[in-house]
């Protein structure tokens, strides 16, 4: 059996992180949670991470800073952004941050799952659950 | 006419005066005619004098005319006697009458000389005429002035009134002008001369009498705003009272002027509303973010439970936890909705004792995310988080939001000019004296031209383009701080990192911790 993909969730809302963690774990991912950008960067340095799911607004280091840092280390890492509010002039929509997908909260976890599968090059799931 | 020698001989031995004239008829006729005419004329002159004195009772020296009358009558009598003595040599009688005349003349002459200095000072008719014209001119000028003043009084748009302070200290209306009548709906005729208490409705009378008494008692001008229920409805007046004193310093009159500021007040309120709308943009952004969080949690848990239900991996504990969590999150959203609801309220709610730091935090929370996207960092340094102030938390929050948005505008403008900026510092500290606290919002947006600094709290003062700023943020903030009994100042500052910026300092009276307990126990 191959190693499951390792997903890092950076989200300061613990309850949201827990639900998403459980949801993705049930679907065979290995999931870690970080409460802010700094914590996320630390895990990124220590462990092998296959994809990042991150919030934008977080204490200490927010999602923007985190993504900037990560892109300097890994230009290919799939990033999924979940945000409560995105201004029109945010530059995250710019191509240079790709591969990156943005979803506004409330997010549909099934969409997140499907997006991760696609970005990680996994065959699409035949059925839900 | 022939006369015998006997006739010549009077018992006293005098001869008639005609003899001296040799009875020449022409000379006799001349004398008789002249003396008679003189005598008659002399008799008529005092009559005329007496009549004059009688009619002109205002004459100063009337009694002198009497003297003249006596002297002239006597004089006239001597002339008539001269005719008589032509035939009858009653020279004694004539002598006596002459003596009386002499006395009267002497008295009159003496009196005249004696009176001369006083008569000389009597104004001449010419002089009188001159004085009269001068007087008339002055009267005309005064009339003109009076009519000018009364035309001021009657035509000025300012509502004017004059209150008489009666000797017993009570007040009565002397006059009110048409502008006041129009503004209040009161009838000038019904007010004039009436005591204030009889002229106005009891509540209005109570309200204005308090002010009138204050002005009367202090003897100083006062200036105030009052809300009155008048025939035209409820109006707000800005009124000024000026006391007028008599020579003894007693206040005898109050001059009042009033301006109806109802409309202006309403506009000001609307301005507050408008600026709320402006901050509403910021608020909407903050709200969208805040609401998305609990919604996200609810959605994720619902999906999670559903997935487990369908995969037969659900235990009751998990359902219980998920539902409790959903309930908690809906409450969180309800609080947010409440927040927006109060924000839109006109009066801003009643005042209360609260933690300004909580307020500042919620303002920061509203914008932090949005600002972070623009690379503007908000750094909060709250030395003491347990400080308390009295006021409306939402107003303070609005003020802080306005300061943030000004700082952001300045930062973005500076960046537009190619310079680096992007920091907003919020410092909260208690002051040494223990009675006040300070909130400072400092940015690195380059500050403001010192020449403009004194004007930034003026309503509608803005350096921003049309549509970018109404120039209301700081003036409304000024009002908010003022209502809280504090003050707000602005200064350019040089920061440690070499940047320049504007620092807004808000000083507020701080409340003792016990006042919060009291408030809570009331709630
Ligand atoms: N932090 C700041 N740095 C530099 N200038 C400032 C700052 N804050 C205010 N000003 C100046 O003061 C003016 C008045 O500010 P104010 O908040 O009252 O109005 P505004 O921001 O122009 O408009 P509004 O707040 O109604 O949208 C601004 O136009 C700006 O010139
Ligand atoms: Mg402003």
């Amino acid at each position: 059996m191959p190693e499951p993909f390792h997903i890092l969730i950076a989200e300061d809302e613990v309850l949201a992180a827990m639900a998403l963690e459980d949801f993705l774990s049930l679907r065979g991912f290995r999931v870690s949670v970080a409460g802010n950008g700094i914590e996320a960067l630390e895990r990124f340095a220590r462990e092998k991470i296959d994809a990042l799911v991150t919030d934008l607004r977080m204490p200490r280091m927010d999602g923007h800073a985190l993504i900037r840092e990560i892109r300097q280390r890994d230009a290919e890492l799939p990033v999924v952004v979940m945000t409560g509010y995105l201004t029109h002039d945010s530059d995250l929509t710019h191509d240079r941050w790709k591969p990156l997908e943005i979803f506004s909260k409330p997010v549909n976890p099934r969409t997140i799952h499907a997006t991760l599968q696609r970005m990680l090059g996994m065959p699409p799931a035949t059925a839900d659950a | 006419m022939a006369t015998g020698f006997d006739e010549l001989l009077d018992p006293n031995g005098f001869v008639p005066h005609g003899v001296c004239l040799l009875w020449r008829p022409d000379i006799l006729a001349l004398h008789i005619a002249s003396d008679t005419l003189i005598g008659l004329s002399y008799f008529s002159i005092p009559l005329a004098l007496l009549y004059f004195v009688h009619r002109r009772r205002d004459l100063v020296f009337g009694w002198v005319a009497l003297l003249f009358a006596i002297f002239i009558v006597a004089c006239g009598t001597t002339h008539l006697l001269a005719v008589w003595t032509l035939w009858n040599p009653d020279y004694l009688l004539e002598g006596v009458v002459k003596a009386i005349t002499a006395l009267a003349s002497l008295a009159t002459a003496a009196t005249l000389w004696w009176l001369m200095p006083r008569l000389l000072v009597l104004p001449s008719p010419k002089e009188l005429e001159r004085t009269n014209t001068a007087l008339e001119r002055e009267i005309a000028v005064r009339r003109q002035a009076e009519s000018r003043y009364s035309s001021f009084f009657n035509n000025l748009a300012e509502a004017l009134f004059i209150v008489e302070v009666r000797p017993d200290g009570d007040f009565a209306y002397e006059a009110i002008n048409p502008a006041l009548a129009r503004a209040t709906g009161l009838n000038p005729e019904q007010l004039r001369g009436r005591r204030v208490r009889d002229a106005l409705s009891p509540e209005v009378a109570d309200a204005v009498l308090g002010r009138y008494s204050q002005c009367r008692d202090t003897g100083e001008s006062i200036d105030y705003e009052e809300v009155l229920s008048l025939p035209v409805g409820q109006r707000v007046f800005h009124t000024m009272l000026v006391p007028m004193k008599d020579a003894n310093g007693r206040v005898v009159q109050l001059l009042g002027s009033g301006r109806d500021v109802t409309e202006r007040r309403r506009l000001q309120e609307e301005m507050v509303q408008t600026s709320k709308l402006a901050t509403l943009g910021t608020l909407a952004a903050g709200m969208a973010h805040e609401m998305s969080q609990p919604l996200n949690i609810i959605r994720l848990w619902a999906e999670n439970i559903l997935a487990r239900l369908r995969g037969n991996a659900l235990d009751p504990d998990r359902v219980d936890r998920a539902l409790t969590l959903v309930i908690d999150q809906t409450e969180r959203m309800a609080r947010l909705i409440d927040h927006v609801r109060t924000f839109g309220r006109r009066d801003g709610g009643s005042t209360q004792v609260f933690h300004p730091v909580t307020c500042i935090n919620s303002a920061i929370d509203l914008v932090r995310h949005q600002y972070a996207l623009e690379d503007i960092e908000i750094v909060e340094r709250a030395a003491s988080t347990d400080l308390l102030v009295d006021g409306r938390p939402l107003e303070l929050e609005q003020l802080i939001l306005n300061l943030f948005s000004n700082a952001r505008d300045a930062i973005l403008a500076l960046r537009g000019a190619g310079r680096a900026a992007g920091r907003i510092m919020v410092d909260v500290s208690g002051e040494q004296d223990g009675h006040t606290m300070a909130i400072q919002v400092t940015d690195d947006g380059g500050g403001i031209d010192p020449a403009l600094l004194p004007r930034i709290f003026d309503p509608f003062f803005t350096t921003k383009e049309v549509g970018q700023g109404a120039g209301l943020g700081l003036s409304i903030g000024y009002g908010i701080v003022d209502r809280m009994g504090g003050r707000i100042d602005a200064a350019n500052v040089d920061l440690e990192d070499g940047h320049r910026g504007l620092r807004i300092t808000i000083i507020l009276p701080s409340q003792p911790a016990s006042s919060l307990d009291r408030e809570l126990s009331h709630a």
Side-chain angles (χ1 to χ4, degrees), chain B residues 428-443:
Chain B
V428 185
S429 59
E431 294 286 288
Q432 298 297 330
D433 62 9
H435 300 303
T436 52
M437 59 150 316
I439 302 170
Q440 289 188 324
V441 176
T442 313
D443 61 65

Side-chain angles (χ1 to χ4, degrees), chain A residues 11-23 26-27 55-58 62 64 68 82-87 89-92 104-110 128-129, chain B residues 281 284-286 288-290 292-297 299-301 303-304 306-308 310-311 313 318 321 325 329 332 364-370 372-375 408:
Chain A
E11 162 69 85
D12 61 333
E13 288 275 1
V14 184
L15 293 174
M18 272 168 56
L20 191 60
E21 178 190 6
D22 191 57
F23 192 94
L26 278 177
R27 278 159 184 75
D55 187 11
L56 281 183
R57 205 186 99 151
M58 287 181 295
D62 70 6
H64 285 93
R68 267 198 304 276
M82 311 180 293
T83 176
Y85 176 84
L86 192 69
T87 48
D89 51 350
S90 168
D91 81 331
L92 283 181
S104 55
K105 292 180 179 178
V107 296
N108 181 343
R110 279 168 290 147
D128 220 306
Chain B
H289 182 264
E290 288 304 313
S292 70
Q293 301 300 332
L295 267 179
N296 193 42
I297 293 170
R299 175 78 191 252
L300 286 172
W301 279 93
E303 293 279 355
N304 184 287
L306 195 62
R308 281 181 171 268
R310 288 184 183 158
R318 185 171 276 271
R321 229 173 104 215
L325 202 140
Q329 295 304 311
R332 177 175 166 190
I364 294 175
D365 282 348
L366 278 177
V367 298
R368 192 200 293 279
H369 167 71
Q370 189 199 341
L373 296 180
E374 295 167 328
D375 238 325
R408 170 179 174 269

Side-chain angles (χ1 to χ4, degrees), chain B residues 252-318:
Chain B
V252 287
Q253 233 182 16
L254 307 178
L255 303 186
S257 69
R259 189 171 293 169
D260 187 340
V261 293
T262 318
E263 205 55 12
R264 207 199 302 165
R265 282 278 154 282
R266 198 182 55 76
L267 277 177
Q268 265 170 5
E269 242 170 64
E270 235 157 55
M271 263 160 31
V272 172
Q273 252 350 70
T274 317
S275 115
K276 276 183 181 169
L277 277 184
T279 15
L280 212 60
T282 317
L283 186 80
M287 270 294 290
H289 182 264
E290 288 304 313
M291 291 294 264
S292 70
Q293 301 300 332
L295 267 179
N296 193 42
I297 293 170
I298 290 170
R299 175 78 191 252
L300 286 172
W301 279 93
E303 293 279 355
N304 184 287
I305 297 294
L306 195 62
R308 281 181 171 268
L309 181 71
R310 288 184 183 158
N312 282 322
L314 192 62
D315 57 300
D317 274 357
R318 185 171 276 271

Side-chain angles (χ1 to χ4, degrees), chain B residues 406-407 410 443 447-448 456 461-464 469-475 502:
Chain B
N406 283 348
D443 61 65
I448 183 168
I456 63 171
F461 173 78
T462 181
T463 55
K464 294 167 194 171
L472 289 176
L474 287 177
S475 76
L502 192 76

Side-chain angles (χ1 to χ4, degrees), chain B residues 402-403 405-407 409 464 468-474:
Chain B
N402 283 341
L403 297 184
S405 104
N406 283 348
D409 290 346
K464 294 167 194 171
Q468 299 288 343
L472 289 176
L474 287 177

Side-chain angles (χ1 to χ4, degrees), chain B residues 254-521:
Chain B
L254 307 178
L255 303 186
S257 69
R259 189 171 293 169
D260 187 340
V261 293
T262 318
E263 205 55 12
R264 207 199 302 165
R265 282 278 154 282
R266 198 182 55 76
L267 277 177
Q268 265 170 5
E269 242 170 64
E270 235 157 55
M271 263 160 31
V272 172
Q273 252 350 70
T274 317
S275 115
K276 276 183 181 169
L277 277 184
T279 15
L280 212 60
T282 317
L283 186 80
M287 270 294 290
H289 182 264
E290 288 304 313
M291 291 294 264
S292 70
Q293 301 300 332
L295 267 179
N296 193 42
I297 293 170
I298 290 170
R299 175 78 191 252
L300 286 172
W301 279 93
E303 293 279 355
N304 184 287
I305 297 294
L306 195 62
R308 281 181 171 268
L309 181 71
R310 288 184 183 158
N312 282 322
L314 192 62
D315 57 300
D317 274 357
R318 185 171 276 271
V319 178
D320 185 311
R321 229 173 104 215
L323 289 182
T324 314
L325 202 140
V326 165
I327 291 166
D328 286 350
Q329 295 304 311
T330 54
E331 263 172 20
R332 177 175 166 190
M333 291 166 72
R335 276 197 303 277
L336 274 168
I337 290 167
D338 268 350
H339 183 102
V340 178
R341 220 180 263 140
T342 16
F343 196 83
R345 272 229 314 258
R346 214 158 236 280
D347 59 357
S350 57
T351 64
Q352 65 187 78
V353 174
F354 64 97
H355 291 289
V357 172
T358 316
C359 234
I360 292 165
N361 285 340
S362 90
I364 294 175
D365 282 348
L366 278 177
V367 298
R368 192 200 293 279
H369 167 71
Q370 189 199 341
Y371 284 21
L373 296 180
E374 295 167 328
D375 238 325
I376 298 172
E377 178 192 16
I378 302 181
V379 187
E380 188 190 8
R381 289 176 295 203
S384 31
T385 50
D386 54 350
L387 286 165
L388 289 169
V389 295
D390 193 1
R392 298 187 179 91
L394 285 171
E395 283 190 349
L396 185 63
E397 186 178 325
Q398 187 192 359
L399 164 59
I400 303 289
L401 283 173
N402 283 341
L403 297 184
F404 287 167
S405 104
N406 283 348
R408 170 179 174 269
D409 290 346
I411 287 168
L412 295 183
L414 197 65
R415 279 200 201 139
R419 313 238 308 270
R423 238 154 43 100
I424 303 174
M425 277 89 39
V426 186
D427 296 85
V428 185
S429 59
E431 294 286 288
Q432 298 297 330
D433 62 9
H435 300 303
T436 52
M437 59 150 316
I439 302 170
Q440 289 188 324
V441 176
T442 313
D443 61 65
D444 60 359
I448 183 168
D449 178 351
L452 300 180
L453 202 52
R455 298 173 52 198
I456 63 171
F457 293 103
D458 293 350
F460 302 115
F461 173 78
T462 181
T463 55
K464 294 167 194 171
E465 275 169 41
V466 182
Q468 299 288 343
L472 289 176
L474 287 177
S475 76
I476 286 165
Y478 189 93
I480 291 171
V481 174
D482 194 53
R483 276 198 290 284
M484 292 176 77
R487 52 177 209 277
I488 181 166
D489 281 309
N492 283 317
V493 287
D494 288 310
L495 305 172
E496 322 77 88
D497 58 5
H499 290 219
R500 275 177 72 77
L502 192 76
R503 170 172 293 159
I504 302 279
T505 304
I506 302 165
I507 306 282
L508 294 173
S510 60
Q511 305 295 319
S514 55
S515 55
L516 187 62
D517 303 342
R518 213 175 307 129
E519 193 131 304
L520 289 177
S521 69

